Amino acid sequence: MILVLDFGGQYNQLIARRVREEHVYCEVHTALSMEKIRALRPEGIILTGGPQSVYKADSLLPPAEIFNLGVPVLGICYGAQAMAHVLGGNVAPAQISEYGKTEVEVIGASELFKGVEKKSVAWMSHTDRIVDVPEGFIVTAQSRDCPIAAAENPARKLYAVQFHPEVVHTVEGRKIFANFVDLCGCARDWQMSSFVADTVKNLKAKIGGGKVLCALSGGVDSSVAAALLSKAVGKNLTCVFVDHGLLRKNEAAEVEAVFSRFDLNFIKIDAGERFLGKLSGVVEPERKRKIIGEEFIRVFEEVARQIGAVDYLVQGTIYPDVIESGLGKSAVIKSHHNVGGLPDFVDFKEIVEPLRLLFKDEVRQAGRELGLPEHIVNRQPFPGPGLGIRIIGEVTAEKVKLVQDADAIYREEVARAGVDKDLAQYFAALTNMRSVGVMGDGRTYDYAIALRAVLTSDFMTAEAAQIPWDVLSRTANRIVNEVKGVNRVLYDCTSKPPATIEFE
Ligand code: XMP
């Protein structure tokens, strides 16, 4: 096990993730006492980055005894400076701060940099730097503006790096983690199956015979969270799946089919007509969103009232959500995107978030371990208000059907061509535009469908994907032939910004 001591840096869970990628179990802790550190019996310790300055009086520093435990210690950025400071080196403000991609050169022999290119790009983000290394340390890397970009004491297996090996921009980062894991002598036998087994065991111990409620959206995160809880508590878990009638074609049936195989109580609420009634005559996007969100809560509230008090409410929060909502208390009370506001009225004692420390691709892996099918674990993001925000203008049952059918054809053709793996999100939307067409010998006056496909990693900005023309043309052809009421298909080539990914 490798212990990560957290000093508040931005990339700290990424460090844990890199260790997991080396198949080593890892725990992240803040401000642990020496007694607790010893009790964890780590095979190695990593000190993370952080926003403080080691030479300021109130800065958080690691206990000096960790360097005498006889296990390798890797200090990263602030962690490197803390190591130097605690062991008698000198840290001071850098004359030139480095930020971003920086060329780093390995100098001298280093165990940590074994097999690492002599010169490579690394990610830097610091305003202080190590000026003098502690006794017994040698300098092992430099950059143009940072003469001590890395240092180590090979005899004591202590390693300090000013740059961030955990960030993907550090080209040799993975090799550095692999070397550190080797230096720690870890067995590399941790798998996602171990995460699943440990989490199930811990959930069992924590929840016991308590009652658990889960709002299941059918998305990856809530599905994996539900599957974990099902393994842990079986029928003490109740999953409520609200079908607001604005899901994609066959989606509700698919979700039901998957979860009916799990050991849990599955409650599906068919609320399509109720939502359509509320949306009748409403054209303004924000009002539509608000109505869908509020109605969702109302439906869930009614079900929750019937179920009565529960001990735990499950949320599928994953690590990127934790970062977005700010670390600390705010993260704990974060409501799931798709079920915003649930904690306000459900009668429960505590929230459980079993995926809190995982990244999206790790959640997908855990889902596979739990036996969820690919169409669930690989599902692309789908907004809580569903097709309600992919139908411009008033939402009606007919329009929902048009967009569902067109979207299903588009997804089928994209998948058949094998381009789906490259796309972050792709879907059909119904424009509120009708135009003239000709079909057979007759004039038509029908709707236009817009196709969208975007490339993005963070969904904050996105670019339109260049879908091969033959895929688009085949899709367009099929849509106008198979979906009655559509006579034109348009492709959206706008980036975000200025457009957004969704149409409303
Ligand atoms: P936009 O349209 O803002 O979308 O560029 C960015 C990402 O967020 C998703 N999205 C939502 N997800 N509830 C959600 O759960 C919502 O109300 C919502 N609105 C947008 C969208 O699908 C895209 O992935």
Side-chain angles (χ1 to χ4, degrees):
M1 182 273 236
I2 287 186
L3 168 65
V4 176
L5 286 181
D6 183 352
F7 293 98
Q10 293 171 63
Y11 314 122
N12 296 352
Q13 282 299 331
L14 263 181
I15 297 177
R17 186 215 162 105
R18 298 289 169 239
V19 175
R20 291 197 290 265
E21 280 172 354
E22 295 302 321
H23 301 292
V24 175
Y25 178 67
C26 177
E27 283 186 24
V28 183
H29 290 276
T30 312
L32 279 190
S33 68
M34 207 48 221
E35 189 189 348
K36 290 205 170 120
I37 293 174
R38 270 204 198 88
L40 287 168
R41 301 184 16 171
E43 294 168 285
I45 298 175
I46 299 178
L47 312 176
T48 77
Q52 295 174 304
S53 281
V54 292
Y55 45 78
K56 297 239 168 89
D58 54 355
S59 292
L60 184 63
L61 290 170
E65 299 99 284
I66 63 164
F67 302 109
N68 296 328
L69 282 176
V71 301
V73 183
L74 170 64
I76 295 174
C77 195
Y78 178 88
Q81 295 162 9
M83 179 187 287
H85 179 78
V86 169
L87 294 174
N90 189 13
V91 175
Q95 277 131 353
I96 303 173
S97 310
E98 291 172 300
Y99 186 78
K101 292 179 184 173
T102 308
E103 187 175 79
V104 167
E105 183 183 0
V106 175
I107 45 174
S110 159
E111 291 181 316
L112 189 66
F113 299 147
K114 199 170 127 192
V116 165
E117 288 291 328
K118 190 164 168 56
K119 284 187 180 175
S120 64
V121 169
W123 186 259
M124 286 280 197
S125 175
H126 67 112
T127 48
D128 288 342
R129 69 180 182 90
I130 301 171
V131 182
D132 297 310
V133 295
E135 208 184 306
F137 275 72
I138 50 166
V139 178
T140 52
Q142 64 184 12
S143 70
R144 197 189 67 184
D145 297 315
C146 185
I148 306 179
E152 69 191 50
N153 181 332
R156 293 175 69 189
K157 292 203 185 316
L158 305 179
Y159 309 91
V161 292
Q162 183 55 67
F163 55 90
H164 288 272
E166 71 277 24
V167 172
V168 355
H169 305 300
T170 299
V171 176
E172 296 281 27
R174 279 190 83 151
K175 202 171 283 164
I176 293 170
F177 278 101
N179 286 344
F180 183 67
V181 163
D182 284 342
L183 289 163
C184 295
C186 297
R188 291 180 191 268
D189 54 4
W190 184 88
Q191 302 287 352
M192 194 41 90
S193 54
S194 331
F195 167 83
V196 169
D198 288 350
T199 308
V200 167
K201 197 173 97 193
N202 293 340
L203 287 170
K204 257 187 194 147
K206 180 188 171 92
I207 295 170
K211 295 265 177 260
V212 187
L213 182 63
C214 173
L216 186 67
S217 69
V220 184
D221 306 340
S222 68
S223 296
V224 175
L228 270 173
L229 264 300
S230 154
K231 281 257 178 333
V233 303
K235 287 274 186 297
N236 280 333
L237 168 67
T238 300
C239 287
V240 177
F241 174 57
V242 176
D243 177 2
H244 52 22
L246 303 166
L247 297 171
R248 288 168 293 187
K249 193 172 179 175
N250 297 334
E251 192 162 11
E254 281 169 12
V255 172
E256 187 170 16
V258 168
F259 284 93
S260 59
R261 294 204 308 271
F262 277 84
D263 182 23
L264 47 82
N265 301 306
F266 185 83
I267 301 179
K268 177 165 168 269
I269 310 288
D270 292 312
E273 281 182 19
R274 181 170 166 171
F275 277 80
L276 279 180
K278 290 280 172 191
L279 288 167
S280 166
V282 182
V283 294
E284 213 262 309
E286 276 315 301
R287 265 203 73 209
K288 281 161 66 177
R289 277 176 175 273
K290 219 163 169 247
I291 288 170
I292 298 168
E294 281 174 3
E295 202 54 22
F296 190 94
I297 290 184
R298 213 147 293 144
V299 172
F300 200 88
E301 192 174 18
E302 288 165 18
V303 184
R305 208 171 293 134
Q306 282 166 21
I307 293 171
V310 293
D311 301 286
Y312 298 93
L313 182 69
V314 186
Q315 302 234 297
T317 319
I318 70 169
Y319 191 66
D321 304 332
V322 176
I323 305 177
E324 268 169 32
S325 48
L327 293 163
K329 199 161 171 281
S330 59
V332 180
I333 56 166
K334 180 183 192 303
S335 51
H336 195 285
H337 294 310
N338 291 340
V339 289
L342 282 190
D344 294 342
F345 63 81
V346 175
D347 188 1
F348 70 102
K349 287 193 216 125
E350 204 182 325
I351 290 180
V352 266
E353 298 174 304
L355 308 174
R356 216 168 179 275
L357 298 180
L358 298 190
F359 290 82
K360 195 80 178 186
D361 57 320
E362 294 181 306
V363 174
R364 295 190 208 278
Q365 241 178 301
R368 284 187 195 101
E369 288 293 334
L370 287 156
L372 288 170
E374 283 301 309
H375 69 84
I376 295 270
V377 294
N378 265 331
R379 215 179 85 139
Q380 52 169 321
F382 186 67
L387 301 178
I389 57 170
R390 291 182 183 170
I391 293 169
I392 300 175
E394 189 188 1
V395 179
T396 63
E398 294 73 36
K399 288 181 181 176
V400 170
K401 173 109 177 50
L402 283 190
V403 75
Q404 276 179 337
D405 288 346
D407 182 68
I409 292 171
Y410 183 36
R411 283 189 288 130
E412 203 178 298
E413 289 301 331
V414 166
R416 197 203 308 270
V419 283
D420 52 329
K421 291 172 243 356
D422 308 325
L423 305 173
Q425 203 170 359
Y426 61 103
F427 55 86
L430 186 67
T431 70
N432 204 19
M433 182 191 88
R434 294 171 91 183
S435 65
V436 175
V438 54
M439 230 172 232
D441 289 327
R443 175 189 189 270
T444 57
Y445 188 62
D446 283 336
Y447 282 109
I449 281 281
L451 303 178
R452 183 109 169 102
V454 295
L455 308 175
T456 176
S457 53
D458 58 9
F459 296 87
M460 305 295 284
T461 61
E463 57 177 310
Q466 296 189 23
I467 302 267
W469 185 254
D470 60 322
V471 179
L472 287 179
S473 113
R474 214 167 27 242
T475 305
N477 210 324
R478 279 192 59 195
I479 290 176
V480 290
N481 278 301
E482 295 173 34
V483 186
K484 209 166 166 306
V486 176
N487 67 355
R488 202 175 283 273
V489 176
L490 311 169
Y491 188 68
D492 182 351
C493 2
T494 335
S495 62
K496 170 186 180 178
T500 53
I501 296 174
E502 302 291 348
F503 280 61
E504 288 196 331

